[in-house]
Amino acid sequence: PIAASICQQIRGDAEADRGDAAAARRAYEAGKALAVTAKDAQRTSELALAIAQLEFDAKQDDVSLDSITKLQKDARRRGAVSCEANAAVLASRIRLAKADPQGALDVFDEVDPDVLQSYRTKMIAKLTLGQLYGYRGEADEDGVVGLDRIDAVIADAKQRGFVGVELEARLARVLVK
């Protein structure tokens, strides 16, 4: 069931990339059901986050934070740092859409992007923090302003050949400016 769950997640990702949210949701729901059956908490959380991301993409500020907050806390309890970071990114985006910039920053209190192993997850967490500080026009505790954080993500992604992350960071920079 775990391999089938992974296949459904890949299928859901492909459908989401194509813009077919309904097909993506069906694939994610099928994968989540398989993960629940296999009692795989990590896979269940990842698929629940994927479903929540679809909801956010469709509704923006009309998405409940309760399930995301629960997923983030559960991931923290399990020591699943990448899942926790992904939940923090989504929660911060929801909070920004709800005009809560301080809350958007607060969800990162327990998240350190530098300890994340997945390059994309690490860079998206750093990018999101850059956006948050950029929107606020502030520097972080190390004195680094938001646009500089975003520029660092752009430079690193470009150097490593991660075109998708680089483009996402370039878009973020335009939106923050």
Side-chain angles (χ1 to χ4, degrees):
I2 294 172
S5 177
I6 293 169
C7 288
Q8 289 294 339
Q9 183 173 4
I10 292 168
R11 180 172 165 234
D13 291 346
E15 296 293 355
D17 288 345
R18 286 187 38 237
D20 190 344
R25 177 180 284 283
R26 286 191 300 272
Y28 290 147
E29 291 286 357
K32 184 179 171 190
L34 290 164
V36 167
T37 300
K39 297 181 178 152
D40 186 332
Q42 178 68 21
R43 178 116 341 262
T44 301
S45 295
E46 288 175 7
L47 287 157
L49 280 171
I51 293 165
Q53 180 66 54
L54 287 175
E55 288 175 14
F56 176 68
D57 291 344
K59 300 178 186 175
Q60 292 294 312
D61 64 344
D62 193 31
V63 175
S64 171
L65 277 166
D66 295 340
S67 62
I68 310 302
T69 302
K70 183 177 183 275
L71 285 168
Q72 185 179 7
K73 288 178 181 177
D74 183 54
R76 183 178 307 133
R77 182 188 53 76
R78 289 191 335 264
V81 292
S82 289
C83 187
E84 179 185 2
N86 287 328
V89 167
L90 182 55
S92 71
R93 290 178 176 167
I94 293 169
R95 287 186 179 276
L96 271 180
K98 292 179 183 266
D100 179 11
Q102 184 58 50
L105 194 55
D106 290 345
V107 299
F108 280 97
D109 282 348
E110 302 289 323
V111 177
D112 179 6
D114 291 321
V115 303
L116 300 171
Q117 292 181 349
S118 163
Y119 181 79
R120 178 168 173 68
T121 300
K122 178 187 293 192
M123 290 296 107
I124 295 303
K126 287 183 175 191
L127 175 60
T128 302
L129 283 168
Q131 287 176 284
L132 294 171
Y133 283 111
Y135 288 137
R136 295 170 61 106
E138 297 177 358
D140 63 15
E141 58 277 352
D142 296 325
V144 180
V145 295
L147 288 175
D148 289 343
R149 281 176 162 265
I150 294 170
D151 288 341
V153 170
I154 291 169
D156 194 78
K158 184 175 184 175
Q159 177 189 5
R160 295 173 188 252
F162 282 82
V163 177
V165 172
E166 179 187 354
L167 291 173
E168 194 166 341
R170 287 187 184 281
L171 175 61
R173 192 175 202 304
V174 169
L175 294 174
V176 169
K177 234 178 183 179

mmCIF file of all heavy atoms in Angstrom, residues 14-39:
data_model
loop_
_atom_site.group_PDB
_atom_site.id
_atom_site.type_symbol
_atom_site.label_atom_id
_atom_site.label_comp_id
_atom_site.label_asym_id
_atom_site.label_seq_id
_atom_site.Cartn_x
_atom_site.Cartn_y
_atom_site.Cartn_z
ATOM 1 N N ALA A 14 1.415 15.498 -10.585
ATOM 2 C CA ALA A 14 1.377 15.717 -12.038
ATOM 3 C C ALA A 14 0.067 16.386 -12.447
ATOM 4 O O ALA A 14 0.065 17.320 -13.266
ATOM 5 C CB ALA A 14 1.560 14.393 -12.779
ATOM 6 N N GLU A 15 -1.038 15.947 -11.880
ATOM 7 C CA GLU A 15 -2.339 16.540 -12.208
ATOM 8 C C GLU A 15 -2.401 17.990 -11.728
ATOM 9 O O GLU A 15 -2.924 18.869 -12.424
ATOM 10 C CB GLU A 15 -3.490 15.727 -11.605
ATOM 11 C CG GLU A 15 -3.627 14.321 -12.158
ATOM 12 C CD GLU A 15 -4.049 14.279 -13.617
ATOM 13 O OE1 GLU A 15 -4.345 15.327 -14.226
ATOM 14 O OE2 GLU A 15 -4.092 13.166 -14.176
ATOM 15 N N ALA A 16 -1.856 18.254 -10.550
ATOM 16 C CA ALA A 16 -1.830 19.627 -10.039
ATOM 17 C C ALA A 16 -0.983 20.516 -10.940
ATOM 18 O O ALA A 16 -1.363 21.654 -11.241
ATOM 19 C CB ALA A 16 -1.303 19.648 -8.600
ATOM 20 N N ASP A 17 0.156 20.000 -11.390
ATOM 21 C CA ASP A 17 1.013 20.765 -12.301
ATOM 22 C C ASP A 17 0.317 21.046 -13.627
ATOM 23 O O ASP A 17 0.569 22.071 -14.256
ATOM 24 C CB ASP A 17 2.338 20.036 -12.543
ATOM 25 C CG ASP A 17 3.260 20.070 -11.338
ATOM 26 O OD1 ASP A 17 3.020 20.881 -10.410
ATOM 27 O OD2 ASP A 17 4.217 19.277 -11.320
ATOM 28 N N ARG A 18 -0.544 20.142 -14.050
ATOM 29 C CA ARG A 18 -1.314 20.340 -15.282
ATOM 30 C C ARG A 18 -2.479 21.298 -15.085
ATOM 31 O O ARG A 18 -3.110 21.728 -16.040
ATOM 32 C CB ARG A 18 -1.878 19.007 -15.788
ATOM 33 C CG ARG A 18 -0.855 18.099 -16.422
ATOM 34 C CD ARG A 18 -1.472 16.852 -17.065
ATOM 35 N NE ARG A 18 -2.736 17.134 -17.721
ATOM 36 C CZ ARG A 18 -3.889 16.520 -17.441
ATOM 37 N NH1 ARG A 18 -3.945 15.589 -16.533
ATOM 38 N NH2 ARG A 18 -4.991 16.821 -18.087
ATOM 39 N N GLY A 19 -2.801 21.582 -13.825
ATOM 40 C CA GLY A 19 -3.905 22.487 -13.533
ATOM 41 C C GLY A 19 -5.234 21.797 -13.315
ATOM 42 O O GLY A 19 -6.269 22.461 -13.239
ATOM 43 N N ASP A 20 -5.229 20.476 -13.189
ATOM 44 C CA ASP A 20 -6.469 19.740 -12.963
ATOM 45 C C ASP A 20 -6.591 19.424 -11.469
ATOM 46 O O ASP A 20 -6.227 18.336 -11.010
ATOM 47 C CB ASP A 20 -6.477 18.458 -13.800
ATOM 48 C CG ASP A 20 -7.835 17.767 -13.811
ATOM 49 O OD1 ASP A 20 -8.688 18.081 -12.947
ATOM 50 O OD2 ASP A 20 -8.037 16.911 -14.696
ATOM 51 N N ALA A 21 -7.113 20.392 -10.728
ATOM 52 C CA ALA A 21 -7.211 20.254 -9.271
ATOM 53 C C ALA A 21 -8.117 19.103 -8.858
ATOM 54 O O ALA A 21 -7.844 18.423 -7.865
ATOM 55 C CB ALA A 21 -7.699 21.560 -8.653
ATOM 56 N N ALA A 22 -9.193 18.871 -9.611
ATOM 57 C CA ALA A 22 -10.124 17.782 -9.258
ATOM 58 C C ALA A 22 -9.440 16.423 -9.371
ATOM 59 O O ALA A 22 -9.562 15.578 -8.476
ATOM 60 C CB ALA A 22 -11.361 17.839 -10.143
ATOM 61 N N ALA A 23 -8.692 16.210 -10.454
ATOM 62 C CA ALA A 23 -7.979 14.941 -10.622
ATOM 63 C C ALA A 23 -6.866 14.818 -9.579
ATOM 64 O O ALA A 23 -6.620 13.726 -9.053
ATOM 65 C CB ALA A 23 -7.403 14.835 -12.030
ATOM 66 N N ALA A 24 -6.207 15.920 -9.278
ATOM 67 C CA ALA A 24 -5.153 15.900 -8.255
ATOM 68 C C ALA A 24 -5.744 15.509 -6.905
ATOM 69 O O ALA A 24 -5.189 14.670 -6.193
ATOM 70 C CB ALA A 24 -4.468 17.263 -8.169
ATOM 71 N N ARG A 25 -6.871 16.104 -6.572
ATOM 72 C CA ARG A 25 -7.524 15.793 -5.290
ATOM 73 C C ARG A 25 -7.890 14.310 -5.214
ATOM 74 O O ARG A 25 -7.666 13.669 -4.185
ATOM 75 C CB ARG A 25 -8.765 16.652 -5.093
ATOM 76 C CG ARG A 25 -9.523 16.302 -3.803
ATOM 77 C CD ARG A 25 -10.741 17.162 -3.613
ATOM 78 N NE ARG A 25 -10.409 18.497 -3.176
ATOM 79 C CZ ARG A 25 -10.068 18.804 -1.925
ATOM 80 N NH1 ARG A 25 -10.011 17.881 -1.006
ATOM 81 N NH2 ARG A 25 -9.790 20.031 -1.595
ATOM 82 N N ARG A 26 -8.443 13.774 -6.294
ATOM 83 C CA ARG A 26 -8.806 12.348 -6.295
ATOM 84 C C ARG A 26 -7.576 11.473 -6.064
ATOM 85 O O ARG A 26 -7.622 10.516 -5.288
ATOM 86 C CB ARG A 26 -9.494 11.969 -7.613
ATOM 87 C CG ARG A 26 -10.913 12.466 -7.746
ATOM 88 C CD ARG A 26 -11.646 11.859 -8.933
ATOM 89 N NE ARG A 26 -11.009 12.142 -10.209
ATOM 90 C CZ ARG A 26 -11.235 13.216 -10.953
ATOM 91 N NH1 ARG A 26 -12.103 14.131 -10.544
ATOM 92 N NH2 ARG A 26 -10.613 13.387 -12.112
ATOM 93 N N ALA A 27 -6.480 11.806 -6.713
ATOM 94 C CA ALA A 27 -5.255 11.013 -6.549
ATOM 95 C C ALA A 27 -4.714 11.147 -5.126
ATOM 96 O O ALA A 27 -4.329 10.149 -4.505
ATOM 97 C CB ALA A 27 -4.203 11.459 -7.568
ATOM 98 N N TYR A 28 -4.679 12.373 -4.612
ATOM 99 C CA TYR A 28 -4.190 12.576 -3.243
ATOM 100 C C TYR A 28 -5.072 11.855 -2.226
ATOM 101 O O TYR A 28 -4.566 11.248 -1.276
ATOM 102 C CB TYR A 28 -4.133 14.065 -2.898
ATOM 103 C CG TYR A 28 -3.066 14.859 -3.619
ATOM 104 C CD1 TYR A 28 -3.288 16.187 -3.955
ATOM 105 C CD2 TYR A 28 -1.827 14.310 -3.953
ATOM 106 C CE1 TYR A 28 -2.317 16.946 -4.601
ATOM 107 C CE2 TYR A 28 -0.848 15.054 -4.597
ATOM 108 C CZ TYR A 28 -1.106 16.368 -4.915
ATOM 109 O OH TYR A 28 -0.146 17.122 -5.543
ATOM 110 N N GLU A 29 -6.390 11.936 -2.411
ATOM 111 C CA GLU A 29 -7.314 11.254 -1.488
ATOM 112 C C GLU A 29 -7.104 9.740 -1.535
ATOM 113 O O GLU A 29 -7.103 9.077 -0.494
ATOM 114 C CB GLU A 29 -8.768 11.602 -1.825
ATOM 115 C CG GLU A 29 -9.159 13.036 -1.534
ATOM 116 C CD GLU A 29 -9.348 13.358 -0.062
ATOM 117 O OE1 GLU A 29 -9.236 12.445 0.787
ATOM 118 O OE2 GLU A 29 -9.585 14.535 0.237
ATOM 119 N N ALA A 30 -6.914 9.198 -2.736
ATOM 120 C CA ALA A 30 -6.668 7.755 -2.867
ATOM 121 C C ALA A 30 -5.354 7.373 -2.193
ATOM 122 O O ALA A 30 -5.278 6.363 -1.484
ATOM 123 C CB ALA A 30 -6.644 7.356 -4.342
ATOM 124 N N GLY A 31 -4.331 8.187 -2.394
ATOM 125 C CA GLY A 31 -3.041 7.921 -1.754
ATOM 126 C C GLY A 31 -3.114 8.026 -0.249
ATOM 127 O O GLY A 31 -2.527 7.221 0.478
ATOM 128 N N LYS A 32 -3.870 9.007 0.230
ATOM 129 C CA LYS A 32 -4.028 9.183 1.680
ATOM 130 C C LYS A 32 -4.753 7.986 2.290
ATOM 131 O O LYS A 32 -4.365 7.506 3.361
ATOM 132 C CB LYS A 32 -4.781 10.476 1.971
ATOM 133 C CG LYS A 32 -4.909 10.786 3.441
ATOM 134 C CD LYS A 32 -5.646 12.101 3.653
ATOM 135 C CE LYS A 32 -5.959 12.303 5.125
ATOM 136 N NZ LYS A 32 -6.872 13.432 5.325
ATOM 137 N N ALA A 33 -5.776 7.492 1.609
ATOM 138 C CA ALA A 33 -6.507 6.324 2.117
ATOM 139 C C ALA A 33 -5.569 5.122 2.229
ATOM 140 O O ALA A 33 -5.615 4.373 3.220
ATOM 141 C CB ALA A 33 -7.694 6.004 1.206
ATOM 142 N N LEU A 34 -4.706 4.947 1.240
ATOM 143 C CA LEU A 34 -3.739 3.844 1.290
ATOM 144 C C LEU A 34 -2.737 4.043 2.427
ATOM 145 O O LEU A 34 -2.365 3.089 3.115
ATOM 146 C CB LEU A 34 -2.997 3.738 -0.046
ATOM 147 C CG LEU A 34 -3.836 3.245 -1.227
ATOM 148 C CD1 LEU A 34 -3.126 3.543 -2.542
ATOM 149 C CD2 LEU A 34 -4.133 1.765 -1.079
ATOM 150 N N ALA A 35 -2.308 5.284 2.643
ATOM 151 C CA ALA A 35 -1.355 5.577 3.713
ATOM 152 C C ALA A 35 -1.977 5.337 5.088
ATOM 153 O O ALA A 35 -1.320 4.820 5.992
ATOM 154 C CB ALA A 35 -0.856 7.013 3.595
ATOM 155 N N VAL A 36 -3.239 5.704 5.226
ATOM 156 C CA VAL A 36 -3.941 5.462 6.493
ATOM 157 C C VAL A 36 -4.039 3.965 6.745
ATOM 158 O O VAL A 36 -3.791 3.491 7.864
ATOM 159 C CB VAL A 36 -5.333 6.142 6.475
ATOM 160 C CG1 VAL A 36 -6.195 5.657 7.630
ATOM 161 C CG2 VAL A 36 -5.191 7.657 6.509
ATOM 162 N N THR A 37 -4.383 3.209 5.704
ATOM 163 C CA THR A 37 -4.474 1.753 5.826
ATOM 164 C C THR A 37 -3.129 1.154 6.241
ATOM 165 O O THR A 37 -3.077 0.247 7.071
ATOM 166 C CB THR A 37 -4.918 1.126 4.487
ATOM 167 O OG1 THR A 37 -6.202 1.656 4.152
ATOM 168 C CG2 THR A 37 -4.990 -0.383 4.575
ATOM 169 N N ALA A 38 -2.046 1.696 5.691
ATOM 170 C CA ALA A 38 -0.699 1.198 6.010
ATOM 171 C C ALA A 38 -0.169 1.764 7.322
ATOM 172 O O ALA A 38 0.924 1.404 7.747
ATOM 173 C CB ALA A 38 0.259 1.548 4.872
ATOM 174 N N LYS A 39 -0.926 2.667 7.940
ATOM 175 C CA LYS A 39 -0.523 3.322 9.196
ATOM 176 C C LYS A 39 0.814 4.050 9.042
ATOM 177 O O LYS A 39 1.667 4.011 9.920
ATOM 178 C CB LYS A 39 -0.485 2.317 10.341
ATOM 179 C CG LYS A 39 -1.840 1.731 10.630
ATOM 180 C CD LYS A 39 -1.814 0.767 11.779
ATOM 181 C CE LYS A 39 -3.231 0.300 11.998
ATOM 182 N NZ LYS A 39 -3.363 -0.979 12.558
#
